[in-house]
Amino acid sequence: MSVLILNYDPSGLYKRNEVLNCLLLAALLKRHSISYKIKEISSISDEVVNDERFVVITSREKKVQELALKIKKRYKTKVLIFFHEYFSFFINKDFLKIVDIVVVGNGFNAIIDLIKDLKRKETGIKSTAWLSNGVVNINSSQNPIDLKKVGKLPYSKYPGCGIYKEAAFKYSPYEEGKDAALIFFSRGCKSRCSFCINPIFYKRKVYYRDPFDVLEDIDFFIEKGIVHFSFEDENLIADRKRFNELYTHIKKKNIMYRCHGAIRDIDNSILKKLFESGCKRLDIGIETASLDLQSKINKINGVKRVIKVCNQVKSFGIRPFILMMLGFPGETREDLLKTKGFLEILEKNGMEFGLSLFRPLPGTCFEKIKGITETGFSSHGKDVLHYIGDETDVDEIKRIYKRFTSKKLIIPNESKSIKVVRNGSSFIRADEYFEADFKPVPLNIWNGDKWDSKGLAHLVGRFKGYIKYRFSSSESFKANIKIRFRACTQTDEKGNLVITINENKKEVYIPEKSESGEILCVEFENITVDIKNELCILCNSEMGLSLFLSFDDSKVDNKSIEISTCDVL
Ligand code: SF4
């Protein structure tokens, strides 16, 4: 009996739970003496050749259905199992025709139950959804793993030990370029914030591991020379007694870590322990500075209290990091201005914060409300405004988002086209695309090597992907077209960019990483310019990390792609 655990499209700042859930499942399989492999794949076209009888897939990408179908077609006898926090979205006939079961919530034990006795599928294993005679069945009884018995996590079996290399960890306290290991003591949260998936997935329960297992995980990384950790617990300090058990031991380990904590749990005694055990950054989710909205989203923290607690955290030598969100359903201009004022206070006091955008998560009360603009999970964590209701002040959100992140807000379905002028030049910003599949990384500011200072970058993408610009002009004409843009890779790896205008294609190398990149130029002959034209910049190399930079070093706002035309004689 063997199992392949597949993590499809594991990338981006918001996809750390997928890695940990794969590791958790792997530890469970090991405990039941079931052999397994873990693979990450980033594209449907990647080969999934395997001998394992069972394939357990996790992903937040809707495209995972295509992947499952591809596997099922190729290996008819394989048993496919799906598990993810977004499980409720995947409980439908179309998906259940392909996979054998979808695990409901955090009932990962269901996977073991099925592997041990396939026949039980039809009788309804706890925490599963399955299709029987064309009817979707759900047994939502809980079937969670006993975390106490899971033991240490098999990091060595995960590609790259599951180490998180995102830019967010590449500055203090993790020190430039240092890797941070993902780790956790507990799963779940007792709060009931209405926008969050956690209460849906864990049913407002918290499950703890044995602290000695966590210590073994820490030792595994220390032996590899990694002493920077990111505790992925929703609230590491929620249970003081349990945190004390962990603290007593990790304070001797001489590690540095980041963790989450709730305002209500922070006091001098816990801060002292956090500091002594190596905590360098404490993330605190506040989301909005409007008390009305705090009440609507079931997350009441106040505002003055937050500032006071932040100062308290700072006084212990720990950096508070406030997590804020824009674009909530029901958020008015007044609410937005309160959040803006609060961010200004944080800024003035040198306190760090992260600003993200509301996402309608499957299973929450916001999943299907009127006004949802974009339901693709792939765009979660990107600069997309997912909800526009009658009360939404889009322009104010745009302004606040730009002001505090330097990034441009993407409004789905906003028609965008680039005016191409006859016998002249048009300049566009790289992020004025009408369509993109480019996996932008969280920060689009770049000065060659540092992510935390303003630089030239307008758009940063990584791995395979494309951005498309649509032409428009007042008349249709034939022209030779020259496209110029400044670009470079983000790494030392090499790759190519393919530039197309409709069926016409040119290829250019991606210049090496540098502060200013290089200006690339491609020329197309005899192109009919009209509204049907599409300029596509495609990065077709796994290693071809690339970004598009401003033409003008001095202005972050400057245009970064030039399209010049010259009439065909
Ligand atoms: S406290 Fe955090 S994890 Fe818990 S429900 Fe609220 S947003 Fe979710």
Side-chain angles (χ1 to χ4, degrees), residues 188-199 234-235 260 262 264 285 287 297-299:
C189 171
K190 287 195 173 162
S191 297
R192 51 189 183 92
C193 309
S194 55
F195 59 91
C196 180
I197 197 74
N198 207 294
E234 300 300 349
N235 182 358
H260 284 82
R264 64 174 175 271
E287 324 306 347
I297 61 171
N298 295 332
K299 191 162 187 171

